[in-house]
Amino acid sequence: MQACLRAEFWPLIFSYFLAQQRNITLSLYADDTAILAQCSSPLPNYIVKLKAWLIRWKIQLNVDKTEAIVFFKNLNNWPKITIYNTPINWKDEIKYLGVIIDKNLNFRSHINQTREKSNKAFRAQYSVICRNSGLSIENQLLIYSAYLRPIITYASPI
């Protein structure tokens, strides 16, 4: 008899075997995972447990897509992280769930990218939503609501 676990149970299994440690929080969404550490000391231990868990459950981690960021002014005291003998470099900004997060938490890069993306989308739809188009205002509003507004409001509290 063969058993299979549904995808929604993986976060439960993951958090059970890698139980929350003091100063470390695990954030899971679909296949994206963030490990948030409040200080550098428990991080190497946690990475060792993570590697053991991944090996035990035969799960491959794409180390090329793995990034680390420090929300602190200096990087001197933070440990070098290696996973599968590949060093993970500390970055000034990362992209997590479509949001660009920088080390100063000011979101300038994310705002600039969103502005560029929304301007490009607006220019692509301009002939359809400008005043001189033949569409009714209701249809123009539908295009805005379906196409432009999601770009502008992604990851913003509403």
Side-chain angles (χ1 to χ4, degrees):
M1 182 173 176
Q2 195 172 20
C4 180
L5 288 173
R6 295 180 54 168
E8 56 264 18
F9 293 120
W10 280 111
L12 294 173
I13 292 170
F14 191 74
S15 61
Y16 175 76
F17 284 101
L18 288 174
Q20 298 291 341
Q21 290 183 359
R22 204 174 91 175
N23 296 329
I24 291 187
T25 303
L26 197 60
S27 177
L28 301 163
Y29 184 82
D31 65 342
D32 289 333
T33 303
I35 300 170
L36 309 168
Q38 292 181 9
C39 62
S40 64
S41 56
L43 195 56
N45 247 359
Y46 200 79
I47 298 297
V48 169
K49 286 183 181 180
L50 173 66
K51 287 191 271 189
W53 187 88
L54 291 169
I55 290 168
R56 178 175 182 209
W57 290 94
K58 297 177 176 64
I59 296 176
Q60 285 290 339
L61 179 71
N62 189 347
V63 182
D64 297 331
K65 289 185 175 182
T66 303
E67 299 174 315
I69 188 168
V70 174
F71 303 111
F72 197 69
K73 294 191 189 232
N74 63 10
L75 292 172
N76 300 341
N77 300 352
W78 288 86
K80 304 276 188 243
I81 299 174
T82 58
I83 299 177
Y84 302 133
N85 297 324
T86 303
I88 307 301
N89 296 323
W90 294 100
K91 306 264 182 159
D92 288 337
E93 64 181 34
I94 61 168
K95 192 171 191 178
Y96 182 65
L97 298 178
V99 178
I100 300 171
I101 304 169
D102 60 74
K103 69 178 185 174
N104 298 320
L105 294 174
N106 61 25
F107 297 97
R108 271 192 206 112
S109 296
H110 180 72
I111 292 167
N112 290 337
Q113 183 211 26
T114 301
R115 185 183 306 126
E116 289 172 15
K117 194 173 179 181
S118 64
N119 284 340
K120 183 178 177 184
F122 178 76
R123 285 191 300 274
Q125 296 296 318
Y126 183 75
S127 62
V128 179
I129 61 174
C130 70
R131 284 188 218 179
N132 300 338
S133 78
L135 284 179
S136 67
I137 192 75
E138 290 85 12
N139 286 336
Q140 289 176 351
L141 189 58
L142 279 173
I143 290 172
Y144 167 78
S145 298
Y147 187 66
L148 297 173
R149 187 172 58 191
I151 295 169
I152 297 167
T153 60
Y154 182 79
S156 62
I158 297 176

